[in-house]
Amino acid sequence: MKKIGRDFYLREDVVNISKELIGKFLVTRFNGKLTSGMIIETEAYNGSMDKASHAYNFRRTARNEVMYGVGGASYVYLCYGIHHLFNIVTNKKDVPHAVLIRAILPKDGVETMLKRRKLKTITKKVSDGPGTLSQALGIKTNHSGTPLNSELIWVEDRNINFKKSEIEAGPRIGVDYAGKDALLPYRFRLTEQTVNKIRNEWYS
DNA sequence: CGTACGATCTGCT
DNA sequence: GCAGATCGTACGA
């Protein structure tokens, strides 16, 4: 049940960090409402050399400025005019690494999350996608730049560990424009079998 | 300024 | 399985 400290985010290997974030808990507390979920899917965006990244070729704009800041902060941007996608900035200042959180399993504050999602029951639909999980946790673009050692958004290690074989790697989603980089195995996800097992344990 | 488009989701077929 | 939603952002004129 420990909030992850800055050192975790300051490391250089964003692909490895991306993998290690599987099984950690993403937590928000807005207006006194605490909500959380276990991270089950992530994608790494590997800096200025990664054609799929917003920071490719050191592209630097008002939107992605926070990617150039020190690791351990959020980067939230609007996608398709509708979806607020949540990323974690890693590495030192001026190295624009980030991890996109793509899916979580709801844990704390389920009622609040269902309300935000306008749903009645816990199903995959609650937070099984980058846009939906942000909505469930109440994260919006105005939270971009929020430090993850704050009292608003943070990541916890609750000592849940998985075997190597339970984490699958594959190409990232929706980045066909990135040419060769679209094929890199920078996406990590718990196997469906493991996810289903946890669903049964938590929601039965 | 004008325009094209996206690290997606939903509902309908 | 597929098209439509929907708008901030990037980039060129």
Side-chain angles (χ1 to χ4, degrees):
Chain A
M1 292 276 191
K2 216 169 124 191
K3 191 182 287 189
I4 289 176
R6 174 153 277 172
D7 288 349
F8 179 88
Y9 306 109
L10 288 180
R11 292 172 299 153
E12 300 202 341
D13 187 351
V14 68
V15 178
N16 193 43
I17 293 174
S18 186
K19 198 188 306 179
E20 289 179 19
L21 280 168
I22 302 288
K24 303 291 191 289
F25 285 74
L26 180 58
V27 192
T28 63
R29 180 176 231 135
F30 299 129
N31 301 316
K33 292 185 199 298
L34 185 124
T35 49
S36 83
M38 189 178 74
I39 297 168
I40 60 169
E41 183 174 343
T42 62
E43 277 177 4
Y45 286 83
N46 195 14
S48 62
M49 306 305 282
D50 181 355
K51 215 167 179 180
S53 171
H54 288 171
Y56 173 60
N57 203 19
F58 290 104
R59 186 159 47 134
R60 189 165 184 162
T61 66
R63 177 176 73 156
N64 74 359
E65 180 61 30
V66 58
M67 291 181 82
Y68 290 86
V70 70
S74 69
Y75 168 47
V76 188
Y77 71 95
L78 190 68
C79 188
Y80 296 103
I82 305 172
H83 308 290
H84 301 251
L85 302 208
F86 173 80
N87 299 254
I88 293 174
V89 175
T90 67
N91 214 319
K92 60 191 171 194
K93 186 168 155 9
D94 294 327
V95 184
H97 287 180
V99 177
L100 171 68
I101 309 301
R102 290 194 55 90
I104 63 172
L105 284 179
K107 183 62 177 170
D108 303 300
V110 170
E111 290 305 314
T112 301
M113 289 194 262
L114 288 175
K115 205 178 221 176
R116 286 174 179 150
R117 295 279 297 119
K118 302 189 202 309
L119 295 170
K120 295 279 185 203
T121 55
I122 296 201
T123 63
K124 291 182 80 165
K125 293 174 70 164
V126 179
S127 56
D128 194 44
T132 56
L133 79 86
S134 294
Q135 193 182 6
L137 293 173
I139 296 172
K140 299 195 188 133
T141 53
N142 61 301
H143 298 112
S144 196
T146 303
L148 301 184
N149 60 6
S150 68
E151 298 301 312
L152 293 173
I153 308 174
W154 66 93
V155 181
E156 287 180 10
D157 188 350
R158 299 188 182 178
N159 295 315
I160 296 183
N161 295 294
F162 297 103
K163 300 176 202 160
K164 265 191 176 175
S165 61
E166 292 180 290
I167 300 175
E168 300 173 317
R172 293 170 292 184
I173 304 295
V175 297
D176 297 342
Y177 58 85
K180 259 192 151 178
D181 290 344
L183 303 175
L184 294 168
Y186 284 180
R187 173 178 177 236
F188 301 97
R189 167 132 187 152
L190 272 188
T191 61
E192 276 313 289
Q193 192 182 16
T194 302
V195 169
N196 288 335
K197 188 178 148 211
I198 296 169
R199 280 204 160 96
N200 286 334
E201 286 171 13
W202 287 6
Y203 311 138
S204 59

